[in-house]
Amino acid sequence: VMERIVGETLEHIMACTPAPMAFADVARWGAALAKAVHILHQQNVCHMDLKPANVLMQADGRAVLLDFGLSCHAHMPDLLAEELRKAVGSPAWMAPEQVVGVRGDARSDVFAVGVILYEMVTGKLPFGSPETAGGLRQRLWMDPRPVRQLRPDVPAWLQEIIMRCLEPEAADRYASAAQLGFDLTHPDQVTITERGLREQGT
């Protein structure tokens, strides 16, 4: 027996929302997702497979995470890591460290949230949909195109948030989903760096 949760997946909402998506909606849904991810991390669990199809948005604005088949718990044996030596996850949303087999870092989920935000704003995936190991490894060294290159009207604070989530080095991302959620709800307090103003890829 499972709890019945009423809502729509973020994937469905994105498909039904006329492009381009309003920045206020991106920030609102992104903040709800970041809060749900933070609550999960407080329970010592990393989701490891965040994508729009695995996020259910409720009528009250809360996000519910689905499908914990690839998750890992900090204080329990990680059977997937023991059994598989290859990358585990959904290729389009997978963090660089997952590509090389590192699991259990909460910042991997932050990366996936960044991919979702990027897709909501631009309608495209930052690294496409790789189908080969070589295609997956590109994110270890290749920067995605800046959001403003695809959509020039994106405010600098939102690009700063998204591109920080997508940093290839986990240490350069948000240290927690809570910090990410705070920035999404307080855009006036986001410190803008070169990352937020960039209009061309490296």
Side-chain angles (χ1 to χ4, degrees), residues 71-83 103:
S71 301
C72 59
H73 193 288
H75 305 307
M76 295 182 183
D78 188 355
L79 301 182
L80 273 179
E82 293 178 8
E83 184 174 336
R103 286 170 48 81

Side-chain angles (χ1 to χ4, degrees), residues 163-187:
M163 301 306 285
R164 182 176 176 184
C165 291
L166 296 178
E167 287 286 350
E169 292 287 341
D172 295 330
R173 297 176 211 146
Y174 285 96
S176 72
Q179 293 177 2
L180 168 59
F182 180 88
D183 274 5
L184 284 167
T185 52
H186 299 81

Side-chain angles (χ1 to χ4, degrees), residues 140-162:
L140 298 174
W141 51 267
M142 185 179 74
D143 293 335
R145 285 191 292 173
V147 180
R148 300 179 83 179
Q149 185 176 348
L150 298 171
R151 189 173 169 188
D153 61 331
V154 173
W157 63 266
L158 185 53
Q159 174 163 298
E160 178 74 31
I161 290 171
I162 295 172

Side-chain angles (χ1 to χ4, degrees), residues 5-198:
I5 302 173
V6 179
E8 293 182 307
T9 65
L10 192 52
E11 180 181 54
H12 179 74
I13 292 172
M14 291 165 63
C16 295
T17 302
M21 188 176 288
F23 301 130
D25 291 337
V26 173
R28 177 166 50 87
W29 287 326
L33 173 55
K35 182 176 181 179
V37 172
H38 175 61
I39 291 171
L40 181 68
H41 291 169
Q42 285 184 310
Q43 299 174 68
N44 299 306
V45 177
C46 293
H47 191 282
M48 308 306 292
D49 194 25
L50 288 174
K51 54 186 177 182
N54 288 345
V55 180
L56 196 71
M57 302 303 299
Q58 297 183 287
D60 62 2
R62 290 185 299 170
V64 178
L65 306 181
L66 310 174
D67 191 355
F68 290 84
L70 300 182
S71 301
C72 59
H73 193 288
H75 305 307
M76 295 182 183
D78 188 355
L79 301 182
L80 273 179
E82 293 178 8
E83 184 174 336
L84 301 175
R85 292 292 179 260
K86 61 181 182 179
V88 179
S90 298
W93 297 271
M94 194 182 298
E97 57 272 15
Q98 287 177 263
V99 174
V100 295
V102 176
R103 286 170 48 81
D105 192 328
R107 294 167 297 185
S108 299
D109 287 343
V110 169
F111 184 94
V113 175
V115 175
I116 294 170
L117 292 172
Y118 189 105
E119 187 179 6
M120 283 198 287
V121 171
T122 67
K124 299 181 182 298
L125 291 163
F127 302 98
S129 300
E131 298 180 358
T132 66
L136 264 177
R137 284 195 296 270
Q138 285 186 341
R139 71 194 61 197
L140 298 174
W141 51 267
M142 185 179 74
D143 293 335
R145 285 191 292 173
V147 180
R148 300 179 83 179
Q149 185 176 348
L150 298 171
R151 189 173 169 188
D153 61 331
V154 173
W157 63 266
L158 185 53
Q159 174 163 298
E160 178 74 31
I161 290 171
I162 295 172
M163 301 306 285
R164 182 176 176 184
C165 291
L166 296 178
E167 287 286 350
E169 292 287 341
D172 295 330
R173 297 176 211 146
Y174 285 96
S176 72
Q179 293 177 2
L180 168 59
F182 180 88
D183 274 5
L184 284 167
T185 52
H186 299 81
D188 57 316
Q189 297 190 39
V190 176
T191 301
I192 309 298
T193 68
E194 181 273 336
R195 188 166 44 199
L197 302 173
R198 195 180 304 155

